[in-house]
Amino acid sequence: MPANSAEPGSLLIVTLVKSGRTKIGYPASLVSDDGVRLTVRAPWAADGVRDFGFVRFEPGDVFTEHYWRDRWYAVKEVRAADGTLKGWYCDITRPAVVRDGAVVVEDLDLDLWVSADGGTVLRLDEDEFAESGLADRDREAADRAVQALDELELLAKLGKFTALID
């Protein structure tokens, strides 16, 4: 863990920014920080249930979230209240910024879902990404986002996805 990092168990605020606005912010407990990858744990932060059809996020769910300072994604392991693994929800983001007790990530609209058994791998929100205009405003960021989604999908389909977070 880097010398300037908080101790495991310390409270951090995770802030997800989308289109320049805070989409959601919530407290999370620091699990580890090696200076490149930061891992936090937090309960489901939204109100009520969110049913995507392929998974339900609900009160009692616990998210172990992995953020990288040098990668264009975040990987969130999702477990039910009883500890049963639901799967991994991956946000395509700019690299995380960690400072002053906060983790800030900019959501770039693309997402990937990987089921607990690895049998279901779904690319999500490609329509939102296209409509966001990122490709027109920042071609490099748009290309990095698509590359990150492709990388995660390939790792999942090859059965190597969990190597990212082990």
Side-chain angles (χ1 to χ4, degrees):
M1 189 174 321
N4 64 350
S5 180
E7 292 297 315
S10 299
L11 191 65
L12 300 172
I13 301 299
V14 176
T15 303
L16 186 62
V17 176
K18 188 171 180 176
S19 302
R21 295 182 181 178
T22 298
K23 180 177 174 182
I24 191 169
Y26 51 91
S29 178
L30 178 66
V31 174
S32 65
D33 183 359
D34 66 9
V36 177
R37 184 179 87 186
L38 175 104
T39 301
V40 300
R41 188 166 291 123
W44 169 238
D47 293 328
V49 174
R50 179 116 188 247
D51 190 340
F52 291 95
F54 51 86
V55 68
R56 286 171 48 101
F57 296 160
E58 51 203 334
D61 286 352
V62 176
F63 287 66
T64 301
E65 304 176 357
H66 306 274
Y67 298 96
W68 285 265
R69 292 170 174 93
D70 64 349
R71 297 185 189 179
W72 287 67
Y73 52 78
V75 175
K76 300 173 181 183
E77 178 186 277
V78 184
R79 292 187 177 271
D82 68 3
T84 302
L85 178 64
K86 292 185 174 187
W88 297 270
Y89 194 91
C90 307
D91 286 320
I92 304 303
T93 67
R94 291 183 189 269
V97 175
V98 182
R99 68 173 172 263
D100 302 326
V103 181
V104 180
V105 289
E106 182 182 345
D107 185 348
L108 298 177
D109 292 306
L110 293 171
D111 300 297
L112 186 79
W113 170 253
V114 181
S115 63
D117 66 2
T120 301
V121 179
L122 301 172
R123 292 171 73 106
L124 306 170
D125 303 328
E126 290 179 298
D127 55 338
E128 287 180 29
F129 178 74
E131 292 169 9
S132 75
L134 183 63
D136 296 327
R137 290 189 321 275
D138 188 342
R139 169 53 66 186
E140 181 181 352
D143 289 347
R144 298 289 298 266
V146 171
Q147 289 168 2
L149 182 64
D150 290 345
E151 175 187 340
L152 289 172
E153 180 184 35
L154 180 61
L155 288 171
K157 287 184 174 181
L158 292 174
K160 298 180 179 183
F161 184 78
T162 57
L164 285 171
I165 54 178
D166 289 337

